[in-house]
Structure formats: structure tokens, C-alpha cells
Amino acid sequence: MRDVVLRCARRRGESRRRALEDARDRAGDVGHWFGDLYHGDLGDNAVPAPELVAKILASQGAQSWHQGAQQATSMASDHDQAGAWVQQLSTGLARIKPFADATTALHRQ
């Protein structure tokens, strides 16, 4: 039993060590990337921002995104109109409630 516990403890220690090494490696990668960025070394795949924006806007996804945004705006407007209608209906019902209560009281007598 003691051997099993020791083996499990060793494996757990190895897993933690590997996780720490991986985290240290990723942190090093990020540090190198920021250093390269700071020194102007953007790599082979860098695209100037205006060109990147133009490519995004020209893509098929951009058009559907704009259509979705317009549809969401339209739905929000419809929602506001429905809310205003419900508010008017509620106000009207509140005005006639005293009459309904009085009528109910008369019928109970």
C-alpha cells in the first residue's frame, strides 16, 4: 500500500512539474512576442491595419454581421414599441379597475 501511495505522489509531483514548465514556456513565448513587437519585428505574416480592416470588410462574414446588426436594431425597436403598448394597456386597466371593483361589489350585495 505504501508503494502505491508513493507512486501516486511521484506522478502528481511530475504532473505539477510538467504544468509549471509548460506555463513557464508559454510565459517565455509571450515575453518574446512582446519583445519582438516592441522592436518592430512583426514576423512574416504581419498585415498593416488598414489592409486588415479592408480584408475583413470585404469578407463574406462582414456582410452577414452587418445584416445581423440591422436585424437586432429592428428587433430592439419592435421590443420598445411592444413595451410602450403594454404600458398604455396597463395604464388603461388601472383606470378602469375602480369601476370593475365597484361593479363587483354591487353584484355581491
Side-chain angles (χ1 to χ4, degrees), residues 31-52:
H32 291 297
W33 183 82
F34 274 109
D36 290 345
L37 182 65
Y38 180 75
H39 293 290
D41 182 12
L42 300 178
D44 297 332
N45 296 324
V47 177
E51 184 181 338
L52 179 63

Side-chain angles (χ1 to χ4, degrees), residues 40-70:
D41 182 12
L42 300 178
D44 297 332
N45 296 324
V47 177
E51 184 181 338
L52 179 63
V53 169
K55 286 183 178 184
I56 291 171
L57 291 176
S59 71
Q60 185 177 8
Q63 183 62 29
S64 64
W65 185 88
H66 285 291
Q67 289 170 348
Q70 289 171 348

Side-chain angles (χ1 to χ4, degrees), residues 12-91:
R12 188 168 184 190
E14 289 172 9
S15 295
R16 283 185 178 172
R17 190 182 77 249
R18 273 191 242 122
L20 286 172
E21 288 173 358
D22 288 346
R24 193 176 314 124
D25 289 346
R26 296 301 76 77
D29 292 345
V30 169
H32 291 297
W33 183 82
F34 274 109
D36 290 345
L37 182 65
Y38 180 75
H39 293 290
D41 182 12
L42 300 178
D44 297 332
N45 296 324
V47 177
E51 184 181 338
L52 179 63
V53 169
K55 286 183 178 184
I56 291 171
L57 291 176
S59 71
Q60 185 177 8
Q63 183 62 29
S64 64
W65 185 88
H66 285 291
Q67 289 170 348
Q70 289 171 348
Q71 184 178 11
T73 300
S74 175
M75 290 173 66
S77 175
D78 292 346
H79 186 279
D80 288 343
Q81 289 174 353
W85 182 75
V86 168
Q87 182 63 36
Q88 290 172 349
L89 181 63
S90 179
T91 301

Side-chain angles (χ1 to χ4, degrees), residues 4-5 11 19 46 48 53:
V4 173
V5 171
R11 286 184 187 153
V53 169

